[in-house]
Amino acid sequence: MTDAQNTAADTTLRASGDSPPDPRPAPVPLLEPREGIPPVVATDEALAEVVAAFAGGTGPVAVDAERASGYRYGQRAYLVQLRREGAGSALIDPVGCPDLSGLGEAIGDAEWVLHAATQDLPCLRDIGMVPTRLFDTELAGRLAGFARVGLGAMVENVLGFALEKGHSAVDWSTRPLPEPWLRYAALDVELLVDLRDALEEELTRQGKLEWARQEFAAIAAAPPPPPRKDPWRRTSGMHKVRRRRQMAVVRELWTARDQVAQRRDVSPGKVLGDAAIVEAALNLPPNSHALAALPGFGHRMGRRQLEQWQGAVDRARALAESELPQPGQPLNGPPPPRAWADKDPAAAARLSAARASVTSLAERLNLPQENLITPDTVRRLCWEPPELPTAESVAEVLAGHGARPWQIEQVTPILTEALQADAD
């Protein structure tokens, strides 16, 4: 057993918000790399050595990835960190080694341990790394009832070590990567397997391990999400834009900004802020001089840039009425709950009863409501309930919306009761 596991065995798991104050008089020790900071792997030769080492390792593989969100266009990985018993730790540069499919195959049969897996899996998939089995320590913490499930909080509360802070939001596309950043990155996987083992023990104690396994399997089996339809509609501040002509300005400016950001490989927000796009839409400036007077298009913006953005505004202004976007997105499912009372009072009553029951059950089970059953699933069930709301018909609807067997088992009785009460 490692030192960290001994510490974990001596540390009481402090789940949920009713944890007692930390009785330790001494500060939490800062975690140190067991073998120092590994060199960054950026060549095919060095990568081949890592592949061989990890193929010969044993047990689960801790995996993490660092992106340059807010700095670069897209969500590609700029550093991949791994650790496995018998192989040690590795830091791999996906810029120098863009194809990690060989490494993915070498550890393909192992369980991958990630923290907040859904955040890292898309960028790992892009470089050829796709797990068949995984353990998500953040999700495990949620199911176990921990109030704070960030990696630092989990390592400290469960294993009794403090992780270094301060580099999570840096520009990981920087080359060469500074040593303090590499140290931070290496420590992210240092105790991930130890944390996994401690959380598995706690989930077993609470009778929730099978629930977690079903959740992990669903994440591993999930296909890549389809491209988002009309992504321009997610512009921050869009709720202020009411008229269709204004919506067209948002669409044209968003599209022009996205093209520039992709060409320059920078975050779209660094090209033009969402607030500026909304201001232009609300004011419909007739020329670049008027545009320059708006917030976000200030004196530091060059004439050429202003003309570029004004061109997008002019394109929107010139559109025929038939070419303007429609307000709102086509609904795929029930309307917003705030409209239910007017549209269907009976459905609103069902939803109110179902939500109250889910809240109560989640509190008894000591886990977040959204992990017990997604709010969207509850809304869809209450908006279009089975004609005869029996346990069997409700369970069938829940399964059709992707609920896992453990979720169906837990919520079917309370949701059936809520629907039956309305039917009566």
Side-chain angles (χ1 to χ4, degrees):
M1 181 179 286
T2 66
D3 291 342
Q5 288 171 318
N6 283 322
T7 305
D10 295 336
T11 302
T12 301
L13 290 173
R14 296 192 290 279
S16 76
D18 56 358
S19 312
D22 189 345
R24 290 172 293 185
V28 180
L30 192 65
L31 182 62
E32 298 287 343
R34 279 174 266 192
E35 299 105 16
I37 303 172
V40 177
V41 173
T43 66
D44 291 341
E45 294 76 16
L47 178 60
E49 294 180 8
V50 168
V51 170
F54 275 78
T58 58
V61 183
V63 182
D64 191 23
E66 305 294 347
R67 301 175 298 281
S69 303
Y71 297 94
R72 296 289 183 175
Y73 186 86
Q75 294 295 314
R76 67 168 293 182
Y78 282 95
L79 188 69
V80 175
Q81 310 100 281
L82 304 99
R83 184 174 181 85
R84 191 180 196 185
E85 187 71 31
S89 295
L91 302 177
I92 302 174
D93 179 4
V95 177
C97 301
D99 182 5
L100 299 187
S101 56
L103 176 60
E105 292 172 3
I107 59 174
D109 293 335
E111 178 189 78
W112 295 20
V113 184
L114 301 100
H115 191 81
T118 54
Q119 295 182 21
D120 287 340
L121 287 179
C123 69
L124 290 171
R125 183 184 291 114
D126 289 344
I127 53 178
M129 296 186 65
V130 183
T132 56
R133 293 187 295 131
L134 63 84
F135 189 107
D136 186 333
T137 50
E138 184 200 50
L139 181 51
R142 292 182 185 277
L143 294 175
F146 282 84
R148 299 168 60 220
V149 293
L151 181 59
M154 295 290 290
V155 168
E156 183 171 335
N157 288 339
V158 178
L159 301 178
F161 285 96
L163 288 178
E164 289 189 5
K165 302 175 182 178
H167 302 303
S168 60
V170 299
D171 181 3
W172 288 96
S173 67
T174 301
R175 293 295 183 272
L177 286 164
E179 184 171 323
W181 299 10
L182 295 174
R183 176 187 177 86
Y184 165 90
L187 290 174
D188 270 0
V189 292
E190 185 81 12
L191 293 183
L192 209 49
V193 173
D194 301 274
L195 180 60
R196 171 236 180 271
D197 293 343
L199 287 171
E200 181 177 70
E201 184 177 333
E202 176 64 10
L203 288 168
T204 300
R205 186 187 70 79
Q206 295 187 26
K208 298 176 180 177
L209 182 59
E210 177 55 29
W211 301 1
R213 285 174 173 162
Q214 291 180 25
E215 292 297 306
F216 302 156
I219 293 173
R228 192 182 298 278
K229 184 177 181 181
D230 291 346
W232 59 270
R233 292 184 185 270
R234 294 178 63 84
T235 302
S236 180
M238 189 70 190
H239 62 282
K240 303 175 186 176
V241 181
R242 303 290 186 183
R243 291 155 46 195
R244 293 174 63 200
R245 183 75 57 186
Q246 294 173 334
M247 293 179 185
V249 172
V250 173
R251 182 178 64 187
E252 292 297 327
L253 280 171
W254 189 99
T255 302
R257 179 185 70 173
D258 193 66
Q259 291 170 349
V260 172
Q262 188 169 8
R263 185 174 67 249
R264 290 169 49 189
D265 189 21
V266 297
S267 170
K270 289 188 174 297
V271 175
L272 186 67
D274 280 7
I277 290 178
V278 171
E279 284 293 329
L282 295 177
N283 288 275
L284 292 171
N287 51 56
S288 58
H289 180 74
L291 181 67
L294 298 178
F297 298 92
H299 61 279
R300 287 186 294 179
M301 187 171 287
R303 182 175 61 85
R304 185 174 178 182
Q305 286 179 294
L306 282 170
E307 290 176 350
Q308 173 182 246
W309 304 131
Q310 184 61 42
V313 174
D314 292 342
R315 287 194 296 274
R317 291 169 62 94
L319 290 173
E321 284 290 324
S322 60
E323 298 174 302
L324 297 177
Q326 295 297 324
Q329 291 178 283
L331 284 174
N332 178 21
R338 63 179 178 273
W340 286 30
D342 293 330
K343 292 178 177 291
D344 189 339
R350 288 193 293 268
L351 182 62
S352 178
R355 281 174 162 175
S357 297
V358 169
T359 297
S360 177
L361 179 57
E363 289 175 353
R364 293 200 303 272
L365 294 175
N366 191 27
L367 50 76
Q369 298 176 43
E370 63 271 19
N371 292 113
L372 175 58
I373 190 72
T374 66
D376 180 66
T377 298
V378 176
R379 286 193 296 268
R380 289 174 183 268
L381 172 67
C382 291
W383 185 251
E384 293 183 347
E387 186 173 349
L388 186 62
T390 64
E392 291 75 15
S393 63
V394 169
E396 184 177 353
V397 171
L398 295 174
H401 291 311
R404 264 69 72 191
W406 77 268
Q407 295 175 313
I408 295 172
E409 180 183 2
Q410 292 297 320
V411 303
T412 292
I414 61 170
L415 293 179
T416 302
E417 184 178 350
L419 297 179
Q420 289 175 345
D422 172 73
D424 296 341

